[in-house]
Amino acid sequence: MTDQYDELLPTTRRALLHRVAVAQAEGRTPSLVAAVVREGRLVWSGARSMIDDHAPDTDVQYRIGSLTKTFVAVLVLRLRDEGLLDLADPLKRHLPGTPADEATVAQLLAHSAGLASETPAPWWERTDGSLRPELGDVLEREHPLKHPAGRLHHYSNPGYALLGALVERLRGEPWDEVLRREILAPLGMDRTTLLPQQPHAGGFAVHPWADVMLPEPLTDTGVMAPAGQLWSTAADLARWAAFLTGGDPKVLAADSLAEMRRPAVGPEGENWSGGYGLGLQLLRHEGRVLYGHTGSVPGFTAGLWVSETDGLAAIALANATSGGNTPRVAAELIALTAQHEPRLPEPWRPLPSLDKDLLALTGPWYWGAAGHTLRLKADRTLELAPLTGGTRSSRFRAEPDGTWTGLDNYYAGETLRVVRSADGSVSHLDLGSFVLTREPYGPADAVPGGVDPAGWQTF
């Protein structure tokens, strides 16, 4: 057994190790290694193994399955940010001749292109990639679609094979080489590779009715590799989790990273438990919204989740085809850490400088008769919120032209303008055509449709 830590309390470390031990024992996995990242730093790792005194450390490679998709998605967003593609582009604009010509890049990233979940037989994860030498082999040419494009989330491994090929076409070199140069090297992830490098775990299937094991083949899946072939370690994935938490301008702009974790297709029902953004899964667990990804290939399972609110992330890796439920373990490690050591809020600090014109905009504003407050935050954003609560609270970022851009919720992307009278005084705020005034329905000349000249009345 191992229990490495930095800063976590002994009771927290014990609770985390206990959860890992239960998962390995009850899930009957040959080994299970896990890690917790807090505020971008690896603060704990623990492992259990079927071999006494031989538990894996954070440098042992495991196959991470569909966690690979998160890396491919970042490569695609980098292409978008460089202007080499648009997410609304159909695939055929850059990679013509596949069975998914009409699918957009965004639909492929979000698994909403309607494509089949898997390749035509045989099972691609357990057979050599030489059986599918061409991109046309990863989907049925006659019937590649299972659902109308853009309507719903339907997970598609072949879709990510196409995205990997898209990266290769636009970069002019193999996708894993692009990955190494653009992501792995800048983040110091030198133990994340396409094929296994020692030390690495072997993958096993555990018999459902007996405590015996069967080795799983370690296959090279060829053109399907972008869907789930990468190998990595708990330490490297802690670096990846730190990036997914706080970003890194050397790899991807913060706005693009935030875009990845927004739901691309609306969750179904009020009590949704999961969703998908652009290459990132979303999970609601114990009142938290987590983002990250799960992974599963013959012989291995993986889970990585981030809680932005708690400043926490967790990883769990196991070398069994089923059992251990590593995605659930990772989510519960976040919950345990947050329970034992809740995040401390940042100290309140005043603004370093004061803009009196900006200060004059704060306070109550009215959209018709509905009251709102406008607050100036310490990060120099403005926050507009209903006086009586509600769902239309939004933050706004200042732009060089004197306008403000909504950052979240209902007004995300919308423009807030300060409209002034002829004498230079503030008349009203214009928010995407909505008029906000200092008094309910006033002044009359600013309100669309005017105001009854009799004013407010009793009846």
Side-chain angles (χ1 to χ4, degrees), residues 318-344:
N319 59 331
T321 303
S322 58
N325 200 342
T326 48
R328 181 177 176 181
V329 171
E332 291 183 356
L333 294 180
I334 288 176
L336 281 168
T337 306
Q339 174 189 345
H340 284 76
E341 301 184 33
R343 189 181 198 180
L344 297 177

Side-chain angles (χ1 to χ4, degrees), residues 275-355:
Y276 210 91
L278 300 178
L280 290 176
Q281 289 178 322
L282 307 174
L283 174 71
R284 182 180 281 170
H285 179 264
E286 295 189 6
R288 292 178 175 84
V289 175
L290 310 178
Y291 62 88
H293 218 287
T294 62
S296 173
V297 287
F300 297 91
T301 64
L304 182 155
W305 297 115
V306 175
S307 171
E308 183 179 16
T309 300
D310 296 297
L312 293 170
I315 302 104
L317 306 170
N319 59 331
T321 303
S322 58
N325 200 342
T326 48
R328 181 177 176 181
V329 171
E332 291 183 356
L333 294 180
I334 288 176
L336 281 168
T337 306
Q339 174 189 345
H340 284 76
E341 301 184 33
R343 189 181 198 180
L344 297 177
E346 289 294 317
W348 177 86
R349 296 183 178 92
L351 284 166
S353 61
L354 175 62
D355 182 330

Side-chain angles (χ1 to χ4, degrees), residues 444 446-452:
V447 178
V451 175
D452 190 307

Side-chain angles (χ1 to χ4, degrees), residues 20-298:
V20 168
V22 169
Q24 188 271 339
E26 295 183 352
R28 299 189 305 139
T29 65
S31 68
L32 195 153
V33 62
V36 171
V37 176
R38 183 168 64 182
E39 308 299 350
R41 295 195 303 118
L42 176 64
V43 294
W44 176 87
S45 68
R48 296 281 283 189
S49 169
M50 65 181 184
I51 302 174
D52 291 340
D53 301 319
H54 191 66
D57 61 24
T58 59
D59 192 49
V60 174
Q61 279 191 332
Y62 287 71
R63 202 167 178 179
I64 62 173
S66 288
L67 266 167
T68 302
K69 294 179 173 71
T70 64
F71 294 88
V72 174
V74 170
L75 291 177
V76 173
L77 266 293
R78 285 175 58 88
L79 292 169
R80 192 281 304 274
D81 288 356
E82 292 176 27
L84 297 178
L85 59 78
D86 190 284
L87 296 187
D89 288 345
L91 185 63
K92 66 181 179 183
R93 181 170 298 176
H94 307 285
L95 191 68
T98 75
D101 271 352
E102 301 301 325
T104 69
V105 176
Q107 289 169 353
L108 292 172
L109 285 168
H111 299 283
S112 63
L115 300 179
S117 293
E118 307 295 344
T119 68
W123 183 4
W124 69 271
E125 293 174 315
R126 226 171 177 271
T127 52
D128 193 88
S130 62
L131 293 175
R132 295 173 195 82
E134 306 294 336
L135 279 179
D137 301 322
V138 304
L139 287 165
E140 298 176 5
R141 285 202 169 268
E142 296 300 321
H143 303 288
L145 295 182
K146 302 299 180 183
H147 303 280
R151 298 287 295 277
L152 54 79
H153 172 78
H154 183 70
Y155 198 86
S156 174
N157 283 301
Y160 267 75
L162 299 175
L163 288 173
L166 174 65
V167 171
E168 293 188 348
R169 174 65 59 88
L170 294 181
R171 292 298 192 202
E173 59 182 314
W175 74 274
D176 57 300
E177 287 299 317
V178 181
L179 172 66
R180 182 191 59 77
R181 184 183 69 253
E182 296 187 0
I183 295 179
L184 302 181
L187 296 180
M189 299 176 63
D190 57 1
R191 290 284 290 146
T192 300
T193 55
L194 186 63
L195 298 172
Q197 296 180 356
Q198 294 290 352
H200 70 82
F204 295 93
V206 177
H207 196 286
W209 313 121
D211 290 334
V212 294
M213 305 190 311
L214 181 73
E216 292 274 20
L218 303 182
T219 54
D220 182 347
T221 60
V223 295
M224 284 298 296
Q229 184 163 313
L230 287 181
W231 294 72
S232 191
T233 67
D236 261 17
L237 290 177
R239 297 182 181 94
W240 187 235
F243 162 74
L244 292 176
T245 304
D248 187 319
K250 299 191 301 292
V251 176
L252 193 68
D255 287 349
S256 295
L257 185 59
E259 186 179 0
M260 291 180 63
R261 58 180 180 258
R262 288 197 291 267
V265 179
E268 296 184 6
E270 294 182 359
N271 299 318
W272 68 273
S273 59
Y276 210 91
L278 300 178
L280 290 176
Q281 289 178 322
L282 307 174
L283 174 71
R284 182 180 281 170
H285 179 264
E286 295 189 6
R288 292 178 175 84
V289 175
L290 310 178
Y291 62 88
H293 218 287
T294 62
S296 173
V297 287

